[in-house]
Amino acid sequence: MAESVLILTEDEELLDDLLRLCAAAGAQTEVLHGTPVDSEQWQRAPLVLAGDDWAARQQTGRPPDRRAGVLLVGRDPDDHSIWARGVALGAEQVLQLPGDEAWLADRIADSAEDGGGPALTLGVLGGRGGAGASTLACALAVTAARDGQRTMLIDSDPLGGGLDVLLGAERTPGLRWPAFASSRGRLPAAALEESLPRLRRLSLLSWDRGDAAGAVPLPRDAMRSVLAAARRRGGAVVLDLPRTLGEASAEALAHVDLGLLVVPAELRAVAAARRVVESSGALLRDLRVVARGPGSGALDGEAIGRLLGLPLAGELPDEPGLPAAADTGEPPGADPSGPLAEFCSALLHRALPGRGVAA
């Protein structure tokens, strides 16, 4: 259960505004009227809404220990001295109502969702067609979920045939991308997760197989809303990315913490991958190579990384029986002792501690 938002003010009008915004966001509140805040209350709250009247009184005493998630809120936009009080308090933001009400409402709603965010977001790209990017994306998601991470797998390639097929989930009930195509602004994270098909302990957002699937480009706003909501839930978000760059895929790339470029160990694949690096790779903060399959001669993973000017995330050997398993509805990575699952488990172990990306 989420902890309560802590409200510190004796200004009745400001208190009414803050309680109204918290109620609209579904956030529980704890209000202190003239009572000194103790260190446990101060540190436990996911968000502290400090009224400017309360902050002014702290100038005569010892201010609370600095912490993240403190917002200083006032009601007089002409009072520029509020900024000095914000600095003294160590506030994350200084806000004035009613002008900053929309921003504050979103921030309160984020704190009320009790996520473990922000999620580590992994994006998987194919160096060429048929490189195995979708297979690796599915295996990463299956492995993360099996290891106990809250996991969402997102198919951002409308022409890829649908990840639900690869996972054997095409008949699993839940919403697909067309239901979110008109999304704009803030999307409730819990509602998104609950609306999606769920299998093997992960949530899946894929495409349907309607006649118009992929015919109309997905709007950038829809991708932004979905990914922002997915990341607020914490854990791991895995994106299967298209090789072609459009508005929605460019937006997706901007959210990726670690990009993985799957490149078969062959010269033609390296040549094709170079084009992907020059386009999509330029939008990624961290892009690494996954070399797939045994190479011929000197073309191993290190060589592929050098040719592309990218660090090597690892070498992924082929897994016997993977196509046959897919025909029976067994998704990639389902066998925890297989080379694909072992590769994913090692990569996630390096990437997920502290929800940061390993160097």
Side-chain angles (χ1 to χ4, degrees):
M1 186 174 180
E3 295 283 355
S4 298
V5 172
L6 180 61
I7 299 178
L8 304 169
T9 185
E10 294 181 32
D11 182 324
E12 293 186 1
E13 289 188 19
L14 179 60
L15 178 60
D16 287 345
D17 286 337
L18 296 179
L19 288 175
R20 171 176 53 82
L21 292 173
C22 288
Q28 300 181 59
T29 57
E30 181 178 6
V31 181
L32 294 186
H33 291 285
T35 305
V37 57
D38 64 45
S39 59
E40 182 181 352
Q41 290 172 305
W42 177 257
Q43 295 294 342
R44 185 182 64 233
L47 188 67
V48 177
L49 305 181
D52 189 34
D53 62 307
W54 178 86
R57 290 194 297 274
Q58 304 313 301
Q59 293 181 311
T60 61
R62 182 178 178 272
D65 294 337
R66 293 187 177 236
R67 51 150 289 176
V70 176
L71 307 180
L72 179 57
V73 189
R75 292 180 53 84
D76 183 2
D78 295 323
D79 181 9
H80 301 296
S81 63
I82 190 175
W83 295 98
R85 291 187 286 278
V87 171
L89 188 61
E92 176 185 310
Q93 292 283 343
V94 174
L95 309 171
Q96 292 284 7
L97 300 185
D100 294 320
E101 187 169 296
W103 189 95
L104 179 56
D106 281 349
R107 186 67 176 82
I108 294 171
D110 287 347
S111 72
E113 287 184 326
D114 194 26
L120 174 71
T121 303
L122 303 169
V124 187
L125 284 156
R128 65 157 170 80
S134 295
T135 297
L136 178 58
C138 287
L140 283 167
V142 168
T143 303
R146 182 171 55 236
D147 290 347
Q149 292 288 338
R150 171 180 269 152
T151 305
M152 187 175 295
L153 174 60
I154 298 178
D155 185 354
S156 59
D157 185 358
L159 302 179
L163 289 187
D164 53 352
V165 176
L166 193 56
L167 284 166
E170 58 267 38
R171 292 185 176 84
T172 303
L175 299 182
R176 268 65 174 178
W177 262 121
F180 300 98
S182 61
S183 297
R184 294 176 62 90
R186 190 180 185 284
L187 187 66
L192 170 66
E193 187 176 49
E194 292 167 2
S195 70
L196 298 179
R198 188 161 180 85
L199 68 160
R200 294 186 176 269
R201 292 179 284 184
L202 65 87
S203 300
L204 170 66
L205 178 54
S206 186
W207 296 86
D208 62 11
R209 261 150 298 286
D211 293 338
V216 179
L218 187 70
R220 179 189 292 266
D221 286 343
M223 181 65 75
R224 181 184 297 122
S225 294
V226 166
L227 286 182
R231 284 170 59 83
R232 286 198 302 272
R233 295 297 278 170
V237 174
V238 182
L239 282 160
D240 183 21
L241 295 162
R243 294 172 62 236
T244 55
L245 191 60
E247 284 192 0
S249 58
E251 180 65 32
L253 290 166
H255 290 262
V256 170
D257 298 309
L258 173 60
L260 300 171
L261 181 65
V262 184
V263 185
E266 56 189 48
L267 285 174
R268 289 187 64 192
V270 174
R274 184 173 288 113
R275 296 182 180 180
V276 178
V277 173
E278 292 171 351
S279 57
S280 297
L283 301 178
L284 286 166
R285 289 169 283 180
D286 187 352
L287 178 61
R288 308 184 191 188
V289 171
V290 173
R292 186 176 67 79
S296 57
L299 196 61
D300 58 9
E302 293 290 348
I304 293 172
R306 285 195 301 272
L307 288 169
L308 295 173
L310 296 173
L312 179 67
E315 297 184 357
L316 180 61
D318 289 331
E319 181 166 332
L322 196 60
D327 289 340
T328 63
E330 189 86 345
D335 179 5
S337 62
L340 182 55
E342 290 183 349
F343 174 87
C344 292
S345 182
L347 189 149
L348 290 167
H349 179 74
R350 295 193 302 270
L352 276 167
R355 289 187 292 273
V357 180

